[in-house]
C-alpha cells in the first residue's frame, strides 16, 4: 500500500512538473505555420471540440492571401467549399458595407475576376480583395473561435522535433518554447516541420519518366503564356559580343535536356499592391543598392517594340492592384531561388531581401530610367505603392510568393494524370481545378546566341475539376504517424502547379484538421483514419468532393 501511494505521489509530481513548465504548452492539435491553411485547420479543430495551438513564424496571418494575392486564382469556383468558401463569403460581406469603399465608389469598381466575376451576388462570395481585408477576415476567425496563436515562433529545424518511434511528441522553437500535441499539421509553404520530422520529400522538377508525365522536367522549346522572349534579344553586355559577358539574370549553364529532372524551382516574386489614387499613392522607392544595369535586358525588350507592362495590374477594390509577373522580364526573379527550400533562416532572409531589392529596383527603373519608353514612364508615374497597405513594412508585402518549395513524397503522389482525371481517386478530401501552372525556372542562352526563358507551363485540366487524394496529405506509413501536410502536399512539380492555389490550401487545411480529429478520437495513425468516417465529416462541413456538373 505504501508503495502504491509513493508511486501515485511520484506520478502527480511528474505531471505537476511537466505542466508547470512556463515554456511548455499542450493541445490536441499543434499547427505549425501562419498561412491560410493554418487558419482554416485551426478553425475546424475548434469547431470539432479540440484544443489547438497555432505556432506561427509569421506575424501576419494568411500567407499570400493577406500578402498581396487578392486577385484570386479560383479556377472553377463551384468546387470551392467549406471554410474556404466561407472566407470568400466574409470578404463579400465586408464589401457590402459602403464604408469599405474609401478610395472608389462601389459602382465604379466593375466586376472583373479571374475566370469568374469578382463579386458573385447569387452565391454571396467575393473573390477579389485588398490585402488588409483578408488579414482582417483571418483575424476575425481568431477572435470568433478564440484561437490560440503564437506569432513569431520559429521551429528549431535542427533539434526541435521530438519523436517517439514514428510519432512526433513535441516541437520546440528557437525561443525555447515547447509545444506538445497528439497530432501535428505542417501548414508552411516551405515544409519545415515535415522535413525536420524525417518525412520524405522532393525539391525541384522530376524527370518526365518518374511518373510518366509530359509537362514535368526541363521544358526547353515549350512556350506557353506570354512570358518568353518573342524577339531575338542578345544576352551579352555588348550586344552580339559573347566575349563581353552575360547580362544580369542570364545563366551561363546549359538548360538541360527536354524532359530531364533538375534542382530548379519556378521563380518567386512579391504580389505588389499598387494604387493610382493621388492621396493613397507612395512613389516607388530607390533601393540603396540600385543598379540600372540589372535591367538592361528589359530595356532591350522595350527597344524591340514590346508594350505589355501593365497587363497584370489586376484591379482590386479602391483603385488598387494585385500586380503579378508578366512578360519575358518582369517581377519574377528568375533563377535566384534554387537553394531557398533547404536554406537556413538567415540565408532565406537574405534571399527575401534580394528579391525585394530586385523588384523595387525594377519598379524604380520603369518609372525613371530614360531607356524606358516615355509612354511607359508616363503611365508608371500614375502608380505607386498603396499607402494604406502593409503599413508596418514600408507598404511592401510581408510575404514572398513561395510558389513551390519542398513537396512531400507521401502515401499517394498526385501527378498530372490525377489533374487530368485519368485515374480514379478513392479517397478525395477536396478538389482542384486551376491550370497546371509553372512560372519560368531559368533564363539561358540558346544555341543561336539569343536569350530565352524556360519552365513556363500552362495546361488546363482535360476533364474539368479533379479530386485530391487524402493520401497526398499524409506521410508514408512508418515515417510519421501523426503529421498531416496540407500545403507542401505529396505531388509532382507540375501537378503542384495546379494544386498550389490559396482556395485549395484552405480546403486542404480544413480537411487535414478533420482527419486529425478522427485520428485523435479513434487512437489511430493518420494513415489508418477510415475514409468512410472522414468522408462523412467532410460532407457535413460542406466540402466538395466530386464535380457537381457530372
Amino acid at each position: 500500500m505504501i508503495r502504491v501511494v509513493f508511486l501515485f505521489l511520484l506520478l502527480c509530481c511528474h505531471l505537476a512538473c511537466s505542466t508547470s513548465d512556463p515554456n511548455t504548452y499542450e493541445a490536441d492539435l499543434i499547427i505549425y505555420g501562419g498561412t491560410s491553411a493554418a487558419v482554416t485547420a485551426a478553425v475546424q479543430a475548434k469547431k470539432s471540440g479540440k484544443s489547438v495551438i497555432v505556432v506561427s513564424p509569421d506575424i501576419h496571418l494568411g500567407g499570400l492571401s493577406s500578402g498581396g494575392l487578392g486577385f484570386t486564382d479560383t479556377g472553377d469556383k463551384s468546387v470551392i467549399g467549406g471554410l474556404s468558401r466561407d472566407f470568400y463569403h466574409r470578404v463579400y460581406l465586408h464589401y457590402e458595407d459602403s464604408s469599405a469603399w474609401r478610395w472608389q465608389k462601389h459602382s465604379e469598381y466593375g466586376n472583373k475576376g479571374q475566370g469568374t466575376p469578382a463579386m458573385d451576388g447569387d452565391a454571396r462570395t467575393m473573390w477579389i480583395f485588398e490585402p488588409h481585408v483578408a488579414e482582417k477576415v483571418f483575424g476575425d476567425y481568431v477572435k470568433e473561435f478564440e484561437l490560440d496563436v503564437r506569432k513569431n515562433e520559429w521551429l528549431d529545424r535542427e533539434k526541435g522535433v521530438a519523436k517517439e518511434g514514428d510519432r512526433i511528441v513535441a516541437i520546440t522553437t528557437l525561443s525555447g518554447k515547447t509545444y506538445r500535441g497528439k497530432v501535428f499539421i505542417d501548414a508552411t509553404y516551405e515544409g519545415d516541420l515535415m522535413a525536420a520530422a524525417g518525412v520524405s520529400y522532393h525539391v525541384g522538377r522530376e524527370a518526365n519518366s518518374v511518373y510518366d508525365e509530359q509537362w514535368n522536367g526541363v521544358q526547353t522549346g515549350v512556350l506557353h503564356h506570354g512570358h518568353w522572349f518573342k524577339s531575338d534579344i542578345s544576352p551579352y553586355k555588348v550586344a552580339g559580343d559573347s566575349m563581353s559577358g552575360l547580362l544580369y539574370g542570364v545563366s551561363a549553364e546549359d538548360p538541360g535536356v527536354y524532359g530531364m529532372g533538375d534542382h530548379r524551382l519556378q521563380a518567386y516574386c512579391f504580389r505588389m499592391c499598387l494604387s493610382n489614387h493621388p492621396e493613397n499613392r507612395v512613389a516607388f522607392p530607390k533601393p540603396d543598392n540600385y543598379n540600372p544595369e540589372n535591367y538592361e535586358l528589359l530595356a532591350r525588350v522595350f527597344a524591340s517594340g514590346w508594350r505589355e507592362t501593365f497587363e497584370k495590374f489586376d484591379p482590386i477594390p479602391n483603385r488598387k492592384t494585385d500586380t503579378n509577373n508578366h512578360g519575358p522580364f518582369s517581377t519574377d526573379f528568375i533563377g535566384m531561388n534554387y537553394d531557398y527550400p533547404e536554406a537556413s533562416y538567415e540565408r532565406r532572409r537574405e534571399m527575401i531581401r534580394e528579391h525585394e531589392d530586385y523588384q523595387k529596383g525594377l519598379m524604380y527603373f520603369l518609372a525613371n530610367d530614360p531607356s524606358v519608353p516615355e509612354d511607359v514612364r508616363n503611365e508608371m508615374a500614375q502608380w505607386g505603392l498603396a499607402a494604406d497597405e502593409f503599413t508596418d513594412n514600408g507598404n511592401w508585402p510581408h510575404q514572398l510568393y513561395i510558389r513551390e518549395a519542398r513537396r512531400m513524397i507521401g502515401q499517394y503522389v498526385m501527378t498530372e494524370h490525377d489533374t487530368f482525371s485519368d485515374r480514379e481517386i478513392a479517397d478525395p478530401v477536396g478538389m482542384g481545378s486551376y491550370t497546371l501552372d509553372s512560372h519560368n525556372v531559368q533564363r539561358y542562352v540558346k544555341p543561336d546566341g539569343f536569350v530565352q526563358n524556360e519552365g513556363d507551363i500552362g495546361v488546363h485540366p482535360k476533364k474539368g475539376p479533379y479530386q485530391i487524394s487524402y493520401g497526398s496529405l499524409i506521410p508514408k506509413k512508418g515515417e510519421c504517424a501523426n503529421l498531416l501536410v496540407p500545403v507542401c502536399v505529396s505531388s509532382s512539380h507540375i501537378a503542384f502547379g495546379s494544386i498550389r492555389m490559396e482556395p485549395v490550401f484552405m480546403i486542404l487545411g480544413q480537411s487535414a484538421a478533420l482527419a486529425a480529429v478522427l485520428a485523435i478520437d479513434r487512437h489511430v495513425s493518420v494513415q489508418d483514419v477510415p475514409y468512410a468516417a472522414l468522408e462523412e465529416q467532410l460532407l457535413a462541413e460542406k466540402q466538395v468532393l466530386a464535380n457537381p456538373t457530372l
Side-chain angles (χ1 to χ4, degrees):
M1 180 66 182
I2 294 174
R3 178 177 173 80
V4 172
V5 171
F6 173 78
L7 290 173
F8 176 77
L9 291 174
L10 187 64
L11 176 61
C12 289
C13 178
H14 172 74
L15 291 173
C17 291
S18 65
T19 56
S20 62
D21 183 348
N23 287 319
T24 298
Y25 308 89
E26 295 186 15
D28 294 319
L29 179 63
I30 304 296
I31 300 169
Y32 183 61
T35 61
S36 59
V39 178
T40 56
V43 169
Q44 184 57 61
K46 286 299 290 286
K47 286 181 66 178
S48 299
K50 299 303 178 188
S51 59
V52 58
I53 300 175
V54 178
V55 182
S56 171
D58 307 310
I59 296 174
H60 299 272
L61 291 180
L64 258 296
S65 286
S66 61
L69 203 166
F71 197 73
T72 304
D73 303 307
T74 51
D76 187 331
K77 66 184 181 184
S78 70
V79 298
I80 299 173
L83 287 170
S84 185
R85 178 166 287 266
D86 181 72
F87 170 84
Y88 297 104
H89 171 61
R90 291 176 182 234
V91 171
Y92 172 90
L93 294 178
H94 174 86
Y95 286 109
E96 282 290 277
D97 187 339
S98 60
S99 66
W101 299 90
R102 181 181 179 188
W103 304 111
Q104 178 183 44
K105 292 180 181 179
H106 189 176
S107 60
E108 296 172 347
Y109 167 61
N111 206 22
K112 177 188 175 185
Q114 188 170 180
T116 185
M119 181 173 282
D120 186 339
D122 293 336
R124 292 174 62 78
T125 52
M126 187 162 182
W127 307 97
I128 312 298
F129 48 86
E130 299 158 276
H132 77 270
V133 173
E135 187 166 1
K136 178 183 180 299
V137 172
F138 290 121
D140 289 344
Y141 280 130
V142 172
K143 294 176 184 176
E144 180 179 336
F145 291 92
E146 299 180 336
L147 302 180
D148 185 350
V149 180
R150 312 296 177 92
K151 296 181 180 180
N152 200 27
E153 284 290 305
W154 298 79
L155 176 69
D156 183 338
R157 291 160 56 190
E158 295 183 1
K159 55 183 184 298
V161 177
K163 292 179 73 175
E164 292 180 359
D166 63 353
R167 301 185 72 87
I168 302 171
V169 294
I171 63 172
T172 300
T173 58
L174 294 178
S175 69
K177 296 181 177 65
T178 296
Y179 301 90
R180 302 179 65 86
K182 298 174 182 175
V183 175
F184 293 77
I185 290 178
D186 184 341
T188 64
Y189 290 124
E190 294 85 1
D192 284 341
L193 174 55
M194 169 189 73
V199 171
S200 300
Y201 62 87
H202 187 82
V203 176
R205 299 183 289 187
E206 298 94 346
N208 276 333
S209 59
V210 173
Y211 298 115
D212 190 27
E213 294 176 298
Q214 178 180 357
W215 302 108
N216 208 336
V218 175
Q219 297 286 315
T220 45
V222 179
L223 303 171
H224 293 175
H225 300 116
H227 311 314
W228 50 284
F229 293 88
K230 299 174 183 177
S231 301
D232 290 339
I233 305 291
S234 175
Y236 303 111
K237 292 179 179 179
V238 176
D241 181 2
S242 62
M243 302 301 293
S244 63
L246 291 168
L247 290 173
Y248 184 73
V250 180
S251 173
E253 293 184 11
D254 184 274
V257 177
Y258 175 84
M260 69 177 277
D262 63 12
H263 67 289
R264 300 180 178 101
L265 298 171
Q266 57 178 311
Y268 300 165
C269 71
F270 288 93
R271 297 289 285 252
M272 296 178 296
C273 184
L274 308 183
S275 172
N276 66 355
H277 195 294
E279 296 177 34
N280 193 39
R281 182 178 67 211
V282 177
F284 297 114
K286 181 179 181 180
D288 292 338
N289 59 353
Y290 173 71
N291 183 357
E293 292 181 5
N294 291 348
Y295 309 98
E296 169 61 22
L297 196 57
L298 177 57
R300 294 182 187 180
V301 174
F302 280 128
S304 74
W306 184 82
R307 291 295 185 277
E308 299 176 17
T309 304
F310 303 98
E311 290 198 8
K312 284 301 291 179
F313 278 45
D314 292 316
I316 62 176
N318 284 308
R319 288 179 60 173
K320 300 177 190 176
T321 71
D322 167 358
T323 295
N324 194 14
N325 178 83
H326 182 74
F329 191 111
S330 185
T331 57
D332 278 359
F333 201 18
I334 298 173
M336 303 299 183
N337 61 340
Y338 300 155
D339 60 334
Y340 181 90
E342 305 282 21
S344 67
Y345 290 135
E346 292 75 18
R347 175 59 186 141
R348 284 182 186 171
R349 283 192 287 270
E350 289 176 358
M351 296 178 75
I352 291 169
R353 183 55 187 267
E354 290 164 2
H355 279 72
E356 181 177 337
D357 285 346
Y358 163 78
Q359 200 161 329
K360 284 183 174 178
L362 171 66
M363 303 311 290
Y364 185 84
F365 177 84
L366 288 168
N368 296 280
D369 197 276
S371 66
V372 175
E374 185 177 9
D375 60 306
V376 176
R377 280 184 283 126
N378 288 341
E379 187 165 351
M380 283 299 298
Q382 307 302 313
W383 292 96
L385 301 176
D388 61 350
E389 299 289 351
F390 313 119
T391 55
D392 64 346
N393 197 41
N395 310 114
W396 193 256
H398 42 69
Q399 175 66 59
L400 180 64
Y401 195 173
I402 309 301
R403 288 189 170 93
E404 185 176 348
R406 299 182 180 98
R407 286 172 282 105
M408 180 169 63
I409 303 174
Q411 187 155 294
Y412 186 90
V413 180
M414 295 285 294
T415 71
E416 67 179 40
H417 304 292
D418 299 297
T419 66
F420 296 153
S421 299
D422 290 338
R423 296 194 305 203
E424 181 181 355
I425 298 294
D427 56 355
V429 289
M431 299 195 73
S433 63
Y434 198 77
T435 300
L436 282 69
D437 181 60
S438 173
H439 280 232
N440 278 307
V441 165
Q442 60 182 323
R443 178 174 291 141
Y444 69 101
V445 182
K446 297 185 295 177
D448 62 7
F450 296 111
V451 67
Q452 193 51 272
N453 296 332
E454 184 273 320
D456 184 77
I457 299 296
V459 180
H460 293 290
K462 296 176 180 178
K463 302 174 185 176
Y466 58 88
Q467 297 171 315
I468 299 172
S469 169
Y470 174 60
S472 70
L473 305 189
I474 55 178
K476 291 180 286 189
K477 264 198 170 184
E479 289 193 344
C480 195
N482 63 338
L483 175 69
L484 295 112
V485 185
V487 176
C488 293
V489 298
S490 177
S491 70
S492 69
H493 155 72
I494 196 59
F496 191 74
S498 174
I499 296 169
R500 65 178 181 84
M501 305 303 156
E502 288 291 301
V504 178
F505 285 156
M506 285 189 258
I507 290 168
L508 298 182
Q510 181 180 13
S511 296
L514 285 166
V517 170
L518 285 171
I520 292 169
D521 288 345
R522 294 175 180 241
H523 306 286
V524 298
S525 70
V526 295
Q527 291 85 2
D528 291 329
V529 168
Y531 179 70
L534 178 56
E535 180 183 38
E536 181 180 355
Q537 292 300 310
L538 292 167
L539 294 174
E541 294 295 338
K542 299 182 179 179
Q543 293 282 46
V544 180
L545 305 181
N547 190 340
T549 63
L550 295 181

